[in-house]
């Protein structure tokens, strides 16, 4: 009996041990455990899931909007000035553009290309596919406009393989083709997509078509100087194909429906809170006097038309207002001016007794000033109180509102594009250059709530701005600036476009200035000599492009060197193809 | 579920056994003395082979309840030879005289899997720290008490206040992508040392502490540090960074119920205040500016100004404003432990309550901790050990860190000197809006009172650690252990940024910038079931042990919660009460199965060999790569005994012990779940659209775990009857197969890809010296323990494509980068220097200010110390004890963003000279002519210390020497207590972190980093490190 017990104890032990070994080395169920329950598996992803994220991300989240739009494009286009970073001297900020470059490929383009691949694989035609193609053109155009040659044809194609830099000329031609095909492929009779996903045009396919053509027109005009024939053909086809016909066709992206705060689609946050940007002197000069309308409700106690007094010599000699510190407001101004930029005030931190360096003992009440700072001040000049951003006119707080959408493309921009095409003598329908110009000004002013009577008076005014440009199409002041006429028709169109597409049009404004050297902007006061080489106030005096992320020169040497050999040195003064 | 039921059943069974095992007992009293007839205090008196023991009191006396019949008592104490006494059934009082002797023979340490081993048999270095060190001079975070007490252990205490985390690194950093912290094992069961201080960036957050702080110091018997993988190889994939074993106290058999109290009260005050200037007020260029956010204004002479509140006041600076703003931190800790039992079963029930108030007003941390431990001998073959411990923690307003606007210290440091903290109370106006001294800077500035009284964060957690272990002795040489343990933590966290910012125009819309409320629950459960079958047999001179075991680990984690977006109404905190409610949920599950075997062999008690082998199967790896094995080999050779036993030629008498040891091991580092498949994140976007995007990291389905291969060699020498000992270890380890995220050209569509590559090597040596310096006839005793460690680290290889690895890019104002580049040491700090010409002269701009270098790739140092050293001294004379511990850290660099900001803002003491100009910076102009243009101190500091600062100016030597701990205690003789029911009363005065004897960073403690990630060596807005003073009283009934 005892033996049996003993024996069974040993059997039991061996049994337990054996089953333990089996149990502990058993990996049954491991595969199920390691399937991520927190995300979509690749098998269910649909193009319609991918697009909303790209809309939101590609108009740039607040962090990147701050860096790429406010602190780079808006500085180079002089939509604002004096932000205290290296871009103030025309230099590329490597960290910001590294982020942008990485995001644009690995987030925007990767998502769009995946949507296009999934769309093409469907056995039936879809509008999502065409929308993805259109949006990809918008995303790519912004990238190639700032860098020039970029990886395009093989980039982010799903293989995980690296891709070479493609020539901008080829990229532009392909984008024009894509937009043409996408517009043609859009159809209201295509099957309905997942509802609630299109918060840009709310599934209105006609509007998408108009946007595709309008964007094609924009891209066509961009290459007007580099390849006039292609530009003309595409512009004419796009206009004939049906462009935006009113502001309700504008392409707008509400980057967030409700949230208002850092990280939630809060545009232009850099102006306030972090704040070190103000209205640029060029913007002040363009707006002052233009259209001859009185400055509405000047702040209490503000001096009107202060002649100003002399400061030191930090500013660029081409500025008609150089070294003048003016308090108060101008008597006449473009009606959009005080809407875009609010006079300095207590609330924005303006100083009741700003000490004026260069004029010993002088102090000025800097509250109620509606003036801007010169672009490209050296950092020590920028630190002086006369240039302190809080003592300048700064972006209107209406642009901080959460319900304000990001303007991807507005009807007034389209009007100015057509006006330019007409002015070039290309075939346009729907009116003359004058009519399109006036439609653009009207749409822009209406967009910001300017009354129709004021618009009419404005368009009839021969009042000159600081440079001598006027609003009246039929009038020419005959003035010149730095040797070039300032009130010819092309100057009027681009000046109005520059003003009209504020504030989201900084990318376009910089591109127009590179392409046409219009409107007049004061060259940077103290540019970095490696970024801006010329000093004559001519086209070479402005930033031409931004540099590639320095990481590319390390991690992607072969393709990077190839890009340099086809485009030129990787510096800010190398023009891109359409600027040549 | 099945495992949980099993677990509960086992727990119940153990408790039943306790109730059913009642036996006959009797009392034995006695006294333990030295050969010189002096009382031996704290000697252990134990009944052989029974879990019955007690310790002698200050008079050397003991009382012990023992079973009837013949027994054998074993009496031992440090520095004495163990003595066994047979006692017949009639003895009631005994006197035991102990002979000074070779304690090494009886020195038992706990090793991997909780196995007790004779220390001399080990082929690797382990170090044990006793429980007394955790309870007298207390730390809120248990692991901080190990500082200076273990060679090779580096603690990086965060500068996040008393509730902050501590980063633990043993023998250097192995892993580039992993966290490099050791595994924590409590009573044989792995415990989650969760990290909450990670992932914080430039704009801060708060530090919710780390997992090891949930252990009650009062429960801890010993902490054992298994340093190298040879010691930790049995933990396989989890042992690559070393292991810290925590053993908790068991019950003891005594006369009736043993009741022990411990009460501790401690106060905290800042150890250091940063030097600020008190001469210049708010403004710029020497001119007062009520809008100014810096302190470059006029000289403070009491002149009348209209301040930011619009009040006409004299301009003053207040030297003590921060001191007056802060409270004295206070911590009360009260604990009670009941223990008792009989010869079959013992139990211990401990309860501790801790209540901490921080330096900042309205910040508290409370803990309640209960532990029940039952040990039972059911039959002579079958024993059980079971434990349940529960810790409840409630933290309110953990301090905000780094550049968070809610970080009071960061805010204060740059506050213009003439703007006073005291004026910021009240902090809200009649509209309920925040009153802010710099209203236009509402996104970066906050009223500190608002941060502390309106914004809030709270967390509540419940943590259970349970363990049931059953032992069955089949025969005298074969036994089986089956063990199950669970670690469960549930937490509820809330945080809110209050509604309403300053707005000086109540009629205009208020920009309620970034208000919000978030709340979330999480639950983490890890269960471990293991078995171990051990056979041990002696064959003449050989002794052999062979064990086979297995472990099944199962971890689950889930969390749900949400955020409101901007709040609808002030003061209402509900997840539905905001503009943009966003829920989130996440869950994860992993399993790790393992089997292991190990062989312990010894010959004649002087030659020992251990071989271990573990195989792991991990659920987080692809099926083909799932199985991994980790071998280790180690051996030890006791030279003195070898010579004595083999050649009969003992070593000279002054050498009492001479051991050589060595070992090699392979261990690993795990991979988290869901790393193999591309996943498309789920989110809701604008207008509730479904949003997803492809992953930006190219996943690698063939990824393998990291491997750490290590070797170590050591000598253990003791002299003069063990009164002086030196233990030396040399080690070298290579961490291979690192899981790295390699940046790829973005045109590939990905920003990075995951690969296995790299080789990080750590090598170094450690000394442990202990000495009984003095021992007099009168009972005076002086012991010294010195721990010294030196580690050299090099990244031998990264990946083929690039030599650069960023541990963290661009920390704080884009000032520095922390790297682990190929060919360099882990943790190099790169930053910006001045622009220099080829001769090294600083280039000066035309305006006289120095030019900053455009790139920030100047190597400015490495954060790792060259060596660390702890010296502890312990003096005792009868019942009086005095001890102190000095911590020394030599080498390593540290970047202070606080000091950069303070110089840029003109608040630092160093900004006083040259306010009126006259500073000619030594350097050359572009044309190589000497600079002669004078500038002001403001021009200089704003340029070099503002955004993108010249980091080299704020890079400091992190070397420091500190008086870490002082304890003065007196154990009242029980005679003195007379008829009082109280026994063994000990009163101690304690101090922690008392004196920074030497440091090179003005006003900032080098122990002030704020994350526990691999990116160490910098601080921003650190909470001042605190000096703790307190007293501790313990007594028994």
């Amino acid at each position: 009996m005892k033996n049996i017990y003993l024996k069974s104890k040993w059997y039991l032990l061996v049994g337990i041990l054996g089953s333990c070994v089996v149990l502990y080395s058993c990996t049954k169920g491991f595969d199920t455990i390691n399937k991520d329950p927190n995300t979509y598996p690749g098998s269910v992803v649909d193009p319609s899931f991918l697009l909303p994220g790209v809309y939101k991300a590609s108009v740039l989240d607040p962090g990147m909007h701050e860096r790429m739009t406010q602190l780079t494009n808006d500085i180079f286009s002089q939509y604002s000035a004096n932000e205290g970073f290296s871009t103030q001297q025309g230099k590329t900020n490597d960290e910001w553009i590294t982020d942008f470059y990485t995001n644009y490929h690995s987030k925007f383009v990767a998502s769009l290309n995946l949507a296009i691949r999934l769309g093409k694989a469907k056995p039936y035609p879809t509008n999502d596919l065409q929308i993805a193609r259109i949006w990809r053109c918008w995303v790519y155009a912004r990238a190639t406009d700032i860098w020039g040659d970029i990886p395009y044809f093989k980039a982010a194609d799903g293989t995980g393989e690296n891709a070479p830099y493609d020539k901008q000329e080829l990229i532009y031609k392909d984008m024009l083709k894509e937009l043409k095909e996408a517009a043609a492929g859009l159809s209201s009779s295509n099957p309905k997509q997942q509802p609630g996903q299109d918060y840009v045009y709310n599934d209105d396919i006609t509007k998408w078509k108009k946007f595709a053509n309008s964007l094609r027109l924009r891209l066509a005009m961009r290459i007007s100087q580099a390849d006039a024939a292609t530009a003309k053909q595409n512009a004419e086809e796009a206009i004939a194909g049906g462009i935006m016909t009113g502001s309700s066709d504008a392409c707008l992206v509400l980057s967030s429906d409700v949230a208002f705060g850092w990280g939630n689609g809060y545009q232009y946050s850099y102006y306030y809170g972090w704040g070190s940007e103000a209205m640029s002197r060029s913007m002040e000069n363009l707006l002052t006097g233009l259209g001859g309308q009185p400055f509405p409700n000047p702040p209490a106690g503000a001096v009107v038309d202060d002649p100003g007094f002399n400061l030191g010599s930090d500013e660029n000699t081409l500025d008609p207002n150089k070294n003048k510190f003016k308090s108060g407001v101008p008597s006449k101004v473009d009606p959009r001016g005080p809407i875009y930029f609010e006079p300095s005030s207590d609330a924005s931190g303006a100083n009741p007794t700003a000490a004026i360096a260069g004029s010993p003992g002088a102090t000025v009440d800097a509250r109620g000033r509606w003036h801007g700072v010169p672009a490209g001040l050296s950092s020590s000049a920028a630190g002086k109180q006369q240039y302190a951003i809080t003592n300048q006119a700064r972006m209107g707080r209406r642009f901080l509102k959460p319900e304000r959408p990001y303007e991807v493309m507005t009807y007034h921009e389209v009007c100015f594009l057509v006006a330019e095409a007409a002015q070039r003598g290309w075939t346009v329908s729907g009116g003359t250059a004058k009519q399109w110009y006036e439609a653009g000004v009207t749409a822009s002013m209406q967009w910001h709530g300017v009354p129709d009577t004021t618009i009419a008076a404005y368009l009839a005014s021969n009042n000159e701005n600081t440079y001598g440009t006027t609003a009246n199409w039929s009038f020419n002041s005959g003035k010149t600036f730095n040797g070039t006429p300032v009130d010819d028709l092309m100057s009027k169109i681009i000046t109005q476009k520059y003003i009209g597409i504020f504030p989201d049009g900084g990318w376009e404004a910089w591109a127009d200035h590179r392409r046409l050297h219009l409107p007049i902007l004061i060259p940077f006061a103290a540019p970095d000599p490696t970024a801006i080489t010329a000093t004559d106030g001519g086209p070479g005096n402005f930033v031409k492009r931004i540099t590639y992320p320095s990481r590319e020169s390390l991690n992607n040497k072969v393709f990077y060197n190839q890009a340099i050999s086809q485009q030129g040195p990787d510096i800010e003064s190398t023009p891109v193809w359409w600027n040549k | 579920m099945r495992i949980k039921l099993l677990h509960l059943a086992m727990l119940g069974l153990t408790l039943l056994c306790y109730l059913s095992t009642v036996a006959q007992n009797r009392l034995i009293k006695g006294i333990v003395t030295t050969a010189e007839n002096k009382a031996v205090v704290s000697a252990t008196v134990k009944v052989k082979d029974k879990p019955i023991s007690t310790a002698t009191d200050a008079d050397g006396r003991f009382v012990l309840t023992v079973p009837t019949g013949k027994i054998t008592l074993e009496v031992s104490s440090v520095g004495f030879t163990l003595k066994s006494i047979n006692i017949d059934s009639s003895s009631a009082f005994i006197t035991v005289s102990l002979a000074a002797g070779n304690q090494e023979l009886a020195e038992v340490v706990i090793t991997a899997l909780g196995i007790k081993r004779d220390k001399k048999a080990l082929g690797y270095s382990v170090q044990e720290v006793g429980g007394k060190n955790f309870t007298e001079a207390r730390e809120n975070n248990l692991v901080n008490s190990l500082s200076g007490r273990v060679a090779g252990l580096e603690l990086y205490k965060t500068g996040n206040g008393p509730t902050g985390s501590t980063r633990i690194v043993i023998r250097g950093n192995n892993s580039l992508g992993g966290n490099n912290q050791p595994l924590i094992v409590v009573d044989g069961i792995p415990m989650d040392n969760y990290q909450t201080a990670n992932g914080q960036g430039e704009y801060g957050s708060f530090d919710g502490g780390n997992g090891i702080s949930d252990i009650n110091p009062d429960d801890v018997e010993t902490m054992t540090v298994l340093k190298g993988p040879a010691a930790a190889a049995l933990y396989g994939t989890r042992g690559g960074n070393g292991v810290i074993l925590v053993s908790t106290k068991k019950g003891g058999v005594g006369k009736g119920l043993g009741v022990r109290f411990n009460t501790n009260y401690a106060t905290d005050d800042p150890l250091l205040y940063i030097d600020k200037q008190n001469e210049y007020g708010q403004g710029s260029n020497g001119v007062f500016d009520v809008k100014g956010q810096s302190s470059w204004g006029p000289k403070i002479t009491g002149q009348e100004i209209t301040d930011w509140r619009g009040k006409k006041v004299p301009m003053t600076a207040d030297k003590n404003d921060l001191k007056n703003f802060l409270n004295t931190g206070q911590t009360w800790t009260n604990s009670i432990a009941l223990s008792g039992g009989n010869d079959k079963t013992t139990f211990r029930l401990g309860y501790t309550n801790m209540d901490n108030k921080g330096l900042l007003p309205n910040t508290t941390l409370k803990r309640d901790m209960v532990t029940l431990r039952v040990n039972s001998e059911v039959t002579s073959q079958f024993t059980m050990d079971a434990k349940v411990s529960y810790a409840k923690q409630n933290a309110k307003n953990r301090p905000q860190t780094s550049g968070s606007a809610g970080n009071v210290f960061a805010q204060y440091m740059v506050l213009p000197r003439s703007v006073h903290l005291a004026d910021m109370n009240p902090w809200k106006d009649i509209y309920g809006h925040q009153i802010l001294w710099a209203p236009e800077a509402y996104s970066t500035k906050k009223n500190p009172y608002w941060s502390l009284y309106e914004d809030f964060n709270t967390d509540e957690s419940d943590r259970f650690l349970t363990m049931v272990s059953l032992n069955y002795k089949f025969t005298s040489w074969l036994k089986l252990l089956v063990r199950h343990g669970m670690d469960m933590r549930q937490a509820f966290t809330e945080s809110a940024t209050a509604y309403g910012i300053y707005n000086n125009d109540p009629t205009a819309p208020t920009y309620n910038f970034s208000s919000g409320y978030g709340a979330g629950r999480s639950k983490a459960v890890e269960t471990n079931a293991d078995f171990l079958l051990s056979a041990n047999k002696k064959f003449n001179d050989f002794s052999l042990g062979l064990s086979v075991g297995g472990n099944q680990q199962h971890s689950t984690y889930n969390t749900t919660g949400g955020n409101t977006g901007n709040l609808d109404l002030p003061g209402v905190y509900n997840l539905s009460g905001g503009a943009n409610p966003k829920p989130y949920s996440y869950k994860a599950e992993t399993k790790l199965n393992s089997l292991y075997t190990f062989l312990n062999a010894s010959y004649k008690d002087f030659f020992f060999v251990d071989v271990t082998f573990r195989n792991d199967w991990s659920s987080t790896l692809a099926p083909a790569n799932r199985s991994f094995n980790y071998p280790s080999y180690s051996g030890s050779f006791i030279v003195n005994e070898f010579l004595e036993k083999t050649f009969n030629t003992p070593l000279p008498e002054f050498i009492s012990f001479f051991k050589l040891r060595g070992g090699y091991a392979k261990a690993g580092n795990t991979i988290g779940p869901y790393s193999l498949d591309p996943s498309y994140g789920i989110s809701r976007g604008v207008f509730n659209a479904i949003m997803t995007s492809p992953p930006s990291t190219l996943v690698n389905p063939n990824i393998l775990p990291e491997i750490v291969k290590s070797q170590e060699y050591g000598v253990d020498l003791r002299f003069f009857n063990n009164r002086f000992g030196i233990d030396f270890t040399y080690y070298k380890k290579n961490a291979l197969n690192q899981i790295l995220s390699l940046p790829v050209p973005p045109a590939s569509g990905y920003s990075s890809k995951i690969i296995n590559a790299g080789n990080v090597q750590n090598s170094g040596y450690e000394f442990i010296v202990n000495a009984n310096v003095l021992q007099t006839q009168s009972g005076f005793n002086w012991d010294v323990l010195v721990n010294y460690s030196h580690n050299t680290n090099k990244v031998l290889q990264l990946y083929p494509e690039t030599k650069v690895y960023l541990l963290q890019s661009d920390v704080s104002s884009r000032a520095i980068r922390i790297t682990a580049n190929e060919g360099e040491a882990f943790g190099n700090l790169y930053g910006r220097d001045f622009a220099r010409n080829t001769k090294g002269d600083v280039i000066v701009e035309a305006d006289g200010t120095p030019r900053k270098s455009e790139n920030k790739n100047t190597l400015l140092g490495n954060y790792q110390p060259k060596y660390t050293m702890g010296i502890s001294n312990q003096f005792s004379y009868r019942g009086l004890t005095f001890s102190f511990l000095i911590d020394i850290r030599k080498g390593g660099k540290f970047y202070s963003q606080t000091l950069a900001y303070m110089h840029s803002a003109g608040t630092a003491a160093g900004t006083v000279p040259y306010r009126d100009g006259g500073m000619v910076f030594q350097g050359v102009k572009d044309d190589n002519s000497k600079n002669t243009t004078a500038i002001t101190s403001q021009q200089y500091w704003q340029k070099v210390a503002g955004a993108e600062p010249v980091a080299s100016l704020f890079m400091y030597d992190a070397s420091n020497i500190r008086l870490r701990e002082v304890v003065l205690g007196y154990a009242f003789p029980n005679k003195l207590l007379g008829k009082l029911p109280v026994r063994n009363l000990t009163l101690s005065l304690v101090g922690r972190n008392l004196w920074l004897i030497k440091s090179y960073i003005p006003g900032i403690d080098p122990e002030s980093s704020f994350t526990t990630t691999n990116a160490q060596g910098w601080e921003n807005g650190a909470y001042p490190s605190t000096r703790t003073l307190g007293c501790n009283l313990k007594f028994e009934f």
Side-chain angles (χ1 to χ4, degrees), chain A residues 418-434:
Chain A
V418 187
E420 183 190 338
Q423 186 56 31
R424 287 175 183 275
W426 300 350
T427 310
V428 306
S429 52
T432 61
K434 174 176 192 280

Side-chain angles (χ1 to χ4, degrees), chain B residues 957-1034:
Chain B
D957 184 347
S959 301
N960 65 85
I961 303 174
R962 95 176 57 221
L963 180 58
R964 174 75 66 186
E965 182 180 296
V966 175
V967 179
L968 174 65
Y970 182 63
F972 290 84
N974 284 340
K975 257 185 286 182
L976 206 71
L977 298 169
K979 288 207 158 56
L980 285 172
V982 173
R983 281 287 164 272
N984 296 343
L985 179 83
T986 307
L987 177 68
S988 323
L989 298 176
V990 299
R992 290 279 300 172
N993 206 24
L994 290 172
W995 179 24
L996 198 51
I997 300 164
K998 181 78 196 161
S999 170
Y1000 300 89
I1001 312 177
I1004 290 179
D1005 194 322
E1007 290 184 349
S1008 294
S1009 65
F1010 72 92
T1011 73
T1012 51
T1013 65
N1014 290 340
Q1016 297 289 313
W1018 69 287
E1019 68 78 42
N1020 181 15
Y1023 192 101
S1025 75
T1026 52
R1027 172 192 285 135
T1028 305
L1029 288 170
C1031 58
N1032 192 76
L1033 181 70
K1034 63 179 175 190

Side-chain angles (χ1 to χ4, degrees), chain A residues 10 24 26 31 33-35 38-40 49 95 105 111 156 161 197 257 260 266 273 346 351 380 397, chain B residues 289 291 443 478 511 551 566 586-587 593 619 626 674 677 679-680 687 690 692 694 746-747 814 847 856:
Chain A
W10 290 108
Y24 284 77
C26 167
D31 294 320
I33 288 177
N34 207 34
K35 280 279 168 265
N38 304 293
T39 56
Y40 293 120
F49 288 19
E95 288 142 44
H105 279 302
S111 286
E161 295 297 319
Q197 295 294 92
D257 43 355
F260 184 46
Y266 176 41
D346 283 333
N351 214 295
S380 56
R397 291 184 185 223
Chain B
D289 174 6
K291 301 276 184 187
S443 54
L478 184 69
Y511 294 99
N551 176 286
N566 284 292
Y586 176 80
K587 56 184 179 179
N593 290 351
S619 71
R626 194 163 274 159
Y674 320 132
D677 300 317
S679 53
Y680 297 79
F687 302 117
I690 305 166
T692 192
R814 288 164 274 278
D847 65 5
K856 50 183 171 195

Side-chain angles (χ1 to χ4, degrees), chain A residues 110-123:
Chain A
S111 286
L112 290 164
N113 280 351
L114 178 62
I116 291 168
R117 285 199 304 277
L118 292 171
K120 282 185 174 163
K122 291 204 171 177

Side-chain angles (χ1 to χ4, degrees), chain B residues 15 24 52 100 113 341 438 553 599 648 745 761 797 808 955 1016:
Chain B
L15 287 169
Q24 296 284 309
I52 305 170
L113 307 179
Q553 183 215 343
L599 174 81
N648 208 8
Q761 180 173 294
Q797 192 183 34
Q808 191 168 343
M955 193 62 75
Q1016 297 289 313

Side-chain angles (χ1 to χ4, degrees), chain A residues 325-338:
Chain A
F325 187 89
K326 297 174 175 182
S327 76
V329 302
S331 59
K332 293 198 168 95
V333 71
D334 186 302
R336 288 163 293 187

Side-chain angles (χ1 to χ4, degrees), chain B residues 3-60:
Chain B
I3 284 177
K4 257 185 216 171
L5 277 177
L6 172 77
H7 184 82
L8 284 173
M10 285 165 80
L11 198 65
L13 187 61
T14 311
L15 287 169
L16 268 177
C17 289
Y18 169 62
L19 297 173
S20 63
T21 51
V22 179
Q24 296 284 309
N25 292 323
R26 61 178 172 130
L27 282 183
I28 291 261
K29 292 182 180 180
I31 183 160
V32 181
T33 65
T34 63
E36 295 84 26
N37 239 350
K38 304 284 172 201
V40 178
V41 182
S42 298
T44 306
V45 183
K46 184 179 179 300
V47 180
K48 194 180 178 189
D49 297 330
K50 300 262 186 239
I52 305 170
S53 67
T54 186
T56 55
D57 64 16
D59 305 319

